[in-house]
Amino acid sequence: MSENHESGSLVKTLRPFHVWALGVGIVLVGEYMGWNFTVAKGGVLGSLLAMLVAGTMYVMISLCASELGSATKLAGGPYDWARLFVGPGAAASVGLAVYMEYIALEAADAIVVAFIAQSIFPELQVFPVTLLVIALLTFINYRGVVAALTLNFFLTMIAFIAIVIFFFATAFGAVDIHPEYLFQGALPNGMIGLFAALQFGPWFYLGIEGAAMCAEECKHPSRAVPLGQQAGMITLLIGAAMTLYLCSVLIPTDMLGVSVYPLFEAAQNSGVFLFIAALGLGTFLTCIASANGCVCDSSRSWFALSRDHYVSSWFSAVHPRYNTPYRAVIFTMPVAIGFAFSGFLDQVITFSIISGLLCYVLIPFSLIRFRNLFPETTSKVRPFVGPLQPFIAYFAIAIAITILSTLFWGYKYNLIFGFVFYGIAYFYFSHKHKTSTAENNWAEMGWPAPKGSEIARTGKEVMGVDE
Amino acid sequence: MLTNNPAMESKYHSKLNGDTALIMGMLALLIGVEGFVLYRILSETWEIAGNFFYLYVIFVGLVVVIEAIGCLSVRKSIKNHMFEFRYYD
């Protein structure tokens, strides 16, 4: 018996380690840089709380995504879940949010790769190197998803192992640490800092939900998605705790809060060449892995939007030889270049976080709707049954809204812009698809009719309304 | 679901044990690392953190317990469907 549905002709070859590589590959860069803004807001204790609160939210989100991804087995991920279980307006908003989240992150990663390359070879210029990185990763993703994610696996594994070795060497006393930094920078801005630090907590895990977006290309999605995603989530939790400890005992808090490459700087402060080289390489590789994963996920989101005519269906073509959504992949390039050279990198990254948080409200909401519409647990409908649902879905929504509200401090206009952008998308696509008679063809997916549809159909027949 | 092929069943259970060992090993590492980091940071900053340390205990507890239950659910799901979907062929 096969669990694969005929949907397009994307090749179904990915395994759990590819899912792990996609999820962790995108996110690990956030542990090499970016997370340390939590320290600037709330000190070491604020950063620790932000790491744990965001970690709790992401554990719950990843369980929701595992259940939804292994059930639907579609490339659009959060977009397809919202389309199937919520409605067209929410689907379009979340589809665009995923696209923007990943493509903004890709642009930021490519710029950082270019800056690192320039710091090693001063004769290089940032502009052409950024272009080269974006073009090269687009080409790799154009050629095939297996090659792209196998590359991601090795890049990510090297970067993660570098953190693990550095941590254990430090924990077992091979490196001189400064425990007094922990107390000196414990809570510089008082209790309000604890709350303010939450806004950068997602940096530790931002994008892990994207691991489920390769479900349509997995050989056995009902095993690969939950296993790969949960392994990825544990990897990130371990990496986040190790990173926070290493940087907090090796870099003074006032410098840690503004550091560009905190893990690399921690390695430099250790004075051990092996760690300096390993963490420098890790910083470089994790940026490439993140950008590579972002090309993969953003193109799948655009492909899914195109397949359902939310954007031009021209983008939904699948390459006859490489079985990739090649037009959607190529289209990531001009958009990423536009973001990269907008000159507002911090704004781009903040927009990425706001887009991600919007997804973190809609993913658990999609799961709640999924459970209401399809309460039965069968191999076809729900091969992986997530635990503690729907309670953790409600809890995840509450944490996501709390973190979103903390962005009001310092990013008020970004937040308003994000709401306006996705609000317009919601109402535009709700209106556009309101008159559409197309309904989700559950039978084609091998699913029964959703709960309540029989009653609705009978009611229409009694009233003599044509469908 | 079981098959009439003992060799296949043996192979499948062996592979399932591999998946289980991987997840259990990572969970053990997670608990060890989270515990170590929490202890080191809170013990050094106890004069300040002592007033609200319960926040850290609650959230680290939530992370570890939910993730552990999630991993057990993943194992149960793989075990239930491994022959039906031929996961390890």
Side-chain angles (χ1 to χ4, degrees):
Chain A
M1 182 194 227
S2 170
E3 57 174 332
N4 296 329
H5 304 296
E6 291 299 325
S7 47
S9 47
L10 295 176
V11 64
K12 298 178 192 304
T13 51
L14 300 181
R15 295 176 175 277
F17 77 89
H18 290 114
V19 178
W20 179 91
L22 179 61
V24 181
I26 289 172
V27 186
L28 201 64
V29 69
E31 301 187 1
Y32 272 85
M33 63 191 77
W35 68 271
N36 51 312
F37 299 131
T38 55
V39 177
K41 295 278 181 181
V44 175
L45 289 175
S47 184
L48 181 63
L49 187 65
M51 183 193 84
L52 292 173
V53 172
T56 306
M57 180 184 78
Y58 276 90
V59 166
M60 296 186 287
I61 298 280
S62 73
L63 284 168
C64 294
S66 293
E67 181 169 331
L68 289 163
S70 59
T72 58
K73 308 171 183 73
L74 292 170
Y79 155 73
D80 274 316
W81 309 332
R83 177 179 62 82
L84 290 168
F85 309 123
V86 184
S93 297
V94 81
L96 286 173
V98 169
Y99 186 70
M100 294 296 179
E101 176 190 356
Y102 289 116
I103 214 147
L105 201 56
E106 180 201 347
D109 289 331
I111 292 173
V112 175
V113 169
F115 272 112
I116 294 172
Q118 193 190 38
S119 66
I120 300 168
F121 305 105
E123 63 272 20
L124 291 177
Q125 290 187 335
V126 170
F127 180 78
V129 176
T130 304
L131 278 180
L132 185 68
V133 169
I134 291 173
L136 192 65
L137 294 176
T138 306
F139 177 71
I140 291 170
N141 278 274
Y142 169 86
R143 284 296 301 268
V145 69
V146 176
L149 294 185
T150 304
L151 171 71
N152 243 35
F153 177 77
F154 288 108
L155 298 178
T156 308
M157 192 54 91
I158 292 168
F160 181 65
I161 288 172
I163 298 176
V164 173
I165 292 172
F166 189 29
F167 174 80
F168 280 109
T170 306
F172 288 112
V175 174
D176 290 332
I177 61 170
H178 301 272
E180 69 275 13
Y181 290 165
L182 295 172
F183 185 78
Q184 288 166 2
L187 202 60
N189 297 320
M191 293 301 283
I192 195 74
L194 278 184
F195 198 59
L198 290 178
Q199 62 184 263
F200 291 107
W203 265 112
F204 285 109
Y205 320 98
L206 186 73
I208 183 64
E209 76 283 359
M213 290 181 70
C214 61
E216 193 168 328
E217 292 158 275
C218 285
K219 192 176 178 191
H220 297 295
S222 57
R223 170 175 174 255
V225 172
L227 185 60
Q229 184 136 34
Q230 293 315 307
M233 194 61 231
I234 299 174
T235 307
L236 293 175
L237 289 166
I238 292 169
M242 288 179 170
T243 301
L244 173 61
Y245 176 73
L246 284 168
C247 294
S248 300
V249 296
L250 285 165
I251 306 173
T253 311
D254 54 338
M255 292 168 70
L256 176 58
V258 294
S259 174
V260 180
Y261 310 117
L263 262 175
F264 180 57
E265 205 172 303
Q268 283 180 315
N269 289 356
S270 76
V272 181
F273 175 76
L274 175 70
F275 298 138
I276 298 170
L279 274 295
L281 181 68
T283 306
F284 184 73
L285 295 184
T286 198
C287 284
I288 295 175
S290 176
N292 189 28
C294 286
V295 175
C296 182
D297 271 357
S298 56
S299 60
R300 268 55 179 180
S301 189
W302 197 252
F303 167 73
L305 282 163
S306 168
R307 191 164 56 180
D308 298 325
H309 308 289
Y310 281 80
V311 296
S312 168
S313 56
W314 185 79
F315 292 105
S316 63
V318 174
H319 196 284
R321 186 171 168 198
Y322 304 126
N323 298 103
T324 53
Y326 69 107
R327 288 177 186 164
V329 169
I330 292 170
F331 186 61
T332 60
M333 199 160 71
V335 182
I337 291 170
F339 270 120
F341 297 105
S342 65
F344 302 105
L345 184 60
D346 56 335
Q347 306 298 321
V348 167
I349 290 170
T350 309
F351 189 57
S352 178
I353 292 180
I354 292 170
S355 302
L357 286 166
L358 179 73
C359 292
Y360 304 148
V361 174
L362 284 170
I363 291 171
F365 185 66
S366 299
L367 183 117
I368 293 165
R369 291 278 301 155
F370 172 45
R371 289 247 171 159
N372 288 339
L373 290 170
F374 297 95
E376 62 276 89
T377 300
T378 63
S379 303
K380 275 282 183 191
V381 175
R382 191 178 291 115
F384 169 65
V385 185
L388 308 172
Q389 296 289 9
F391 309 108
I392 60 172
Y394 284 115
F395 194 24
I397 291 173
I399 297 180
I401 291 173
T402 305
I403 295 176
L404 205 52
S405 71
T406 62
L407 284 165
F408 196 76
W409 282 303
Y411 297 97
K412 183 166 55 179
Y413 295 109
N414 304 63
L415 200 57
I416 292 168
F417 174 75
F419 281 140
V420 170
F421 179 83
Y422 290 116
I424 290 170
Y426 177 85
F427 288 111
Y428 173 74
F429 285 106
S430 288
H431 178 74
K432 189 179 171 188
H433 288 261
K434 188 172 62 179
T435 52
S436 170
T437 53
E439 287 186 4
N440 294 320
N441 196 343
W442 306 108
E444 207 171 81
M445 294 171 70
W447 289 16
K451 187 180 166 188
S453 63
E454 295 301 322
I455 299 166
R457 189 171 295 122
T458 309
K460 283 180 181 177
E461 283 169 5
V462 168
M463 293 168 73
V465 179
D466 292 331
E467 286 189 62
Chain B
M1 182 195 285
L2 293 175
T3 68
N4 293 323
N5 186 341
M8 182 187 170
E9 279 186 29
S10 169
K11 176 188 162 191
Y12 268 52
H13 284 292
S14 164
K15 295 267 187 181
L16 176 66
N17 288 341
D19 284 348
T20 308
L22 175 77
I23 290 289
M24 295 312 286
M26 291 189 73
L27 266 178
L29 185 61
L30 172 69
I31 293 167
V33 169
E34 293 279 357
F36 174 82
V37 170
L38 207 64
Y39 170 74
R40 290 303 299 264
I41 292 178
L42 291 185
S43 62
E44 289 289 337
T45 58
W46 188 250
E47 282 179 43
I48 301 166
N51 299 320
F52 50 89
F53 77 98
Y54 56 87
L55 283 176
Y56 299 99
V57 175
I58 289 170
F59 279 102
V60 82
L62 282 171
V63 165
V64 170
V65 170
I66 296 173
E67 188 59 65
I69 295 172
C71 288
L72 290 174
S73 303
V74 172
R75 185 188 181 278
K76 187 180 162 196
S77 163
I78 294 174
K79 192 179 178 189
N80 286 345
H81 300 298
M82 62 183 181
F83 294 114
E84 185 183 1
F85 294 140
R86 297 185 178 280
Y87 284 157
Y88 299 117
D89 279 354

